[in-house]
Amino acid sequence: MSNSSKTPSTAPSRASSSPPSTAPAATSSPASLVEVSDLVVDFGGLRAVDGLSFRLEKGAALGLVGESGSGKSTVASALLALHRGTGARVGGTVRVAGVDVQRASDDELRRLRGGKAAMVFQDPLSSLDPYYAVGDQIAEVYRVHTKASRRAARARAVRVLDRVGIPDAARRSRSRPHEFSGGMRQRALIAMALACEPELLIADEPTTALDVTVQAQILDLLHTLRQETGTGLLLVTHDVGVAAESVDEILVMRHGRAVEHGKVDAVLGAPREPYTRELLGAVPRVDTPRAAGRGGSTNAAEGAGPAEGLPSDDVVLEAVGLRREFGRGKQRFAAVDDVSLTVRRGETLGIVGESGSGKTTLGRMLVGLLEPTTGVVRHEGREQSGVRPSVQMVFQDPVSSLNPRRSVGESIADPLRARGEKDEKRIRGRVRELLERVGLEGAHYDRYPHEFSGGQRQRVGIARALAAEPRAIVCDEPVSALDVTTQAQVVALLGELQRELGLALVFVAHDLAVVRQVSDRVAVMRRGRLVEYGPADEVYENPRDPYTRQLLAAVPALDPAVAARRRAEREELSLA
């Protein structure tokens, strides 16, 4: 059996970019679990890491925090020499669990990876082999490092799956990765990393794709494992709140360098460096009402409060008794069940809920990409079926929603051509205007999606939505894949466009903090139904439904003391 190259035991054995030293790697016990000194990583002419130094003691936890492109994931990979054979040039000294990583032979690295140090990647689906049972993959890791029998390795796999909270572990160990939810796959990857009881666990954005309650469960699990096993943790994340929940110290990175490094409460409570303050200032807060100018509706910007008082003839988008079923026979289920709501001109309606709550299905019905099984959707009072220019959508993943073989200008021009515009000069001029309107350059018309950053691609998606001159835009997780400063920029852009154009916005997200910052009203969904629906401040400050309170309790807190208190409360609830 062969696993993905990203699994802890089978990370590829790569030849070094320079021949490894013939001298054996040092294996004496060092003072620190991880010692990094003057680390430099170059990819061609790009310096990804520039003179970074830090230590991690046994049993301690360090968070590497920074925006996309800061070099933090490159550092994590360097700890296990994953850059060997890639053409990258690595300089400086890296010692992990007594092994000089730069000088280690391939055999020594194989023993290090998964044995003494293990890595948990952001996307567990791409890190697990889709053809083999999860338990078999974990058992293989254990056998490679311990030479245990198949039966013993199988038993070990079941034990670690049970340890990370997989229910009915013996039975579920025979399941394949696609049969697990996102949170369960991440637990399985953590179980694989723990199979050989490593001294160091490297977690690279382990909760980015997870909703808030599953994220809290994974962070609580990492905390408990550290307490019980003494495993050291290096947590790589762009989410400052996740770091506050999980680590003792924070190292803030920018452009491959360390900007600030210290105890988590000191760095987050009284940051010394302007960049750290900027990073913290961009983090949306669930306990802070929306500020003027940070998105939200025209009314919010003018201090008029929620948009409940707008006259009925300003209703742009309305759903009445929407239900959408999938499957057949006994497998048939309702993803959305009897949902009714309205969105008015200049207003933002936030829709929140966990994965599987039905919020994306609801958004697609509002746009016309899905037909409801029962119920109706009205655009400006008229019942609609199918996609209409008046309601557009901004998707979660701009990479998959933009054709990689077409320039971004041609993608933005599609709605113009669809409504009958034939003058290519006018089309190109309008697209250039739209590009500039969303903060890009008109000259970017002929560039392709891969030439843009994630935040820039999302701006392209917004420009494409605006090309149809819509009255309403449905945004489906538009900032979930972006770091906090880019998130803030995209949210601010949406708010600015809304104020100028009087747009109605539907903001679908699992991030409750972002939703509070942008919304006039909030709809909370669970298992296809609305469990709470009302003005944003009322829902957040006085939630009536227990599920809403559960969601709010799972939001990461920037104050480590508050984070610890919430973790204790969640533990008490789980034992009740």
Side-chain angles (χ1 to χ4, degrees):
M1 183 201 315
S2 63
N3 287 348
S4 162
S5 64
K6 287 185 178 179
T7 54
S9 71
T10 55
S13 301
R14 301 178 173 115
S16 174
S17 54
S18 58
S21 169
T22 56
T27 56
S28 59
S29 179
S32 301
L33 176 61
V34 176
E35 296 178 276
V36 175
S37 179
D38 294 322
L39 176 64
V40 173
V41 182
D42 292 330
F43 296 98
L46 173 67
R47 176 149 295 185
V49 180
D50 189 6
L52 190 72
S53 300
F54 65 88
R55 289 173 178 260
L56 175 64
E57 306 304 324
K58 293 182 178 180
L62 171 67
L64 292 185
V65 177
E67 299 173 278
S68 299
S70 62
K72 56 189 187 297
S73 291
T74 303
V75 174
S77 296
L79 296 187
L80 296 181
L82 296 180
H83 298 305
R84 279 196 181 180
T86 65
R89 292 183 299 167
V90 182
T93 302
V94 177
R95 295 176 64 90
V96 176
V99 175
D100 186 333
V101 173
Q102 290 293 89
R103 300 175 61 202
S105 67
D106 289 346
D107 285 341
E108 288 170 318
L109 285 178
R110 274 192 289 270
R111 289 193 293 271
L112 173 68
R113 298 167 179 165
K116 294 183 177 181
M119 195 161 184
V120 177
F121 292 87
Q122 175 177 346
D123 181 10
L125 196 57
S126 65
S127 301
L128 294 167
D129 193 315
Y131 294 103
Y132 294 98
V134 168
D136 289 343
Q137 297 184 56
I138 297 173
E140 182 191 17
V141 171
Y142 190 65
R143 290 191 69 209
V144 165
H145 288 279
T146 66
K147 309 303 180 186
S149 67
R150 290 184 182 275
R151 176 175 293 181
R154 179 76 190 177
R156 176 63 178 167
V158 173
R159 285 199 301 273
V160 292
L161 283 170
D162 181 70
R163 179 67 198 82
V164 299
I166 298 294
D168 196 4
R171 180 178 66 85
R172 296 310 301 267
S173 69
R174 296 188 288 273
S175 301
R176 286 170 173 74
H178 74 272
E179 299 177 90
F180 278 21
S181 67
M184 287 178 66
R185 284 195 292 264
Q186 197 62 284
R187 287 174 183 268
L189 206 58
I190 293 172
M192 184 180 293
L194 295 173
C196 299
E197 300 181 349
E199 298 175 50
L200 172 66
L201 186 64
I202 304 168
D204 188 2
E205 299 279 10
T207 64
T208 295
L210 304 178
D211 58 54
V212 65
T213 51
V214 179
Q215 174 179 268
Q217 292 166 10
I218 296 299
L219 296 179
D220 290 349
L221 171 62
L222 291 173
H223 178 78
T224 302
L225 292 171
R226 277 186 58 218
Q227 286 188 320
E228 295 181 355
T229 65
T231 303
L233 174 66
L234 182 75
L235 177 67
V236 176
T237 181
H238 69 262
D239 191 325
V240 183
V242 166
E245 290 263 347
S246 313
V247 301
D248 310 311
E249 294 186 3
I250 282 183
L251 192 159
V252 180
M253 292 188 65
R254 188 185 194 192
H255 303 323
R257 289 180 168 271
V259 174
E260 191 159 353
H261 183 192
K263 295 292 184 182
V264 61
D265 53 352
V267 173
L268 299 185
R272 299 188 309 272
E273 299 299 322
Y275 176 71
T276 309
R277 293 194 291 271
E278 177 186 335
L279 202 62
L280 289 171
V283 177
R285 315 276 178 123
V286 75
D287 55 354
T288 304
R290 180 187 57 244
R294 278 201 69 174
S297 77
T298 307
N299 294 297
E302 295 170 352
E308 289 291 338
L310 286 175
S312 59
D313 59 3
D314 274 316
V315 171
V316 175
L317 194 57
E318 183 178 13
V320 181
L322 288 188
R323 179 181 176 89
R324 173 68 193 205
E325 297 177 353
F326 292 97
R328 295 181 177 179
K330 293 181 179 179
Q331 303 299 317
R332 198 167 183 83
F333 71 98
V336 173
D337 187 9
D338 192 25
V339 170
S340 299
L341 49 80
T342 59
V343 193
R344 297 174 172 87
R345 178 180 58 81
E347 175 189 38
T348 299
L349 173 68
I351 301 178
V352 298
E354 296 174 283
S355 298
S357 64
K359 57 187 187 297
T360 292
T361 300
L362 174 60
R364 288 175 178 265
M365 284 193 288
L366 294 176
V367 174
L369 292 173
L370 284 175
E371 291 291 329
T373 304
T374 59
V376 297
V377 175
R378 298 190 182 109
H379 297 176
E380 298 182 297
R382 295 183 295 275
E383 187 173 329
Q384 298 292 340
S385 178
V387 178
R388 292 290 185 272
S390 60
V391 181
Q392 293 292 305
M393 195 164 200
V394 174
F395 295 90
Q396 174 178 355
D397 182 7
V399 176
S400 61
S401 63
L402 293 171
N403 189 330
R405 295 181 176 86
R406 302 179 71 214
S407 72
V408 297
E410 288 300 299
S411 291
I412 295 170
D414 283 343
L416 300 174
R417 295 194 175 102
R419 69 184 190 189
E421 181 63 64
K422 298 185 183 300
D423 186 325
E424 288 300 317
K425 184 176 181 180
R426 289 181 61 183
I427 289 173
R428 181 171 284 266
R430 177 59 178 153
V431 170
R432 291 173 67 94
E433 289 176 6
L434 289 166
L435 284 168
E436 291 169 1
R437 184 63 200 82
V438 298
L440 299 174
E441 295 179 22
H444 288 166
Y445 185 108
D446 295 312
R447 291 190 180 183
Y448 289 83
H450 72 272
E451 299 180 76
F452 294 88
S453 68
Q456 288 174 324
R457 284 193 290 263
Q458 199 57 285
R459 290 172 183 267
V460 171
I462 294 170
R464 182 175 57 183
L466 291 175
E469 298 183 359
R471 297 293 306 280
I473 296 179
V474 177
C475 303
D476 185 15
E477 299 278 9
V479 297
S480 64
L482 307 177
D483 55 56
V484 290
T485 51
T486 309
Q487 269 189 8
Q489 292 164 7
V490 172
V491 165
L493 171 62
L494 287 169
E496 184 180 337
L497 292 170
Q498 183 180 50
R499 289 189 293 275
E500 288 186 10
L501 304 175
L503 293 170
L505 291 180
V506 178
F507 199 95
V508 179
H510 67 260
D511 189 326
L512 277 78
V514 172
V515 168
R516 177 156 202 189
Q517 295 304 306
V518 303
S519 302
D520 296 302
R521 288 183 297 139
V522 172
V524 182
M525 294 191 68
R526 187 187 192 194
R527 298 175 183 170
R529 299 184 69 89
L530 289 186
V531 297
E532 194 143 1
Y533 180 42
D537 291 345
E538 182 178 314
V539 170
Y540 277 80
E541 293 171 12
N542 299 293
R544 299 187 305 273
D545 193 88
Y547 177 69
T548 308
R549 294 195 289 269
Q550 178 187 340
L551 287 179
L552 291 170
V555 176
L558 285 178
D559 184 337
V562 174
R565 185 173 69 248
R566 288 184 181 175
R567 184 167 51 241
E569 291 171 354
R570 290 194 295 266
E571 185 176 354
E572 288 179 8
L573 287 172
S574 67
L575 296 174

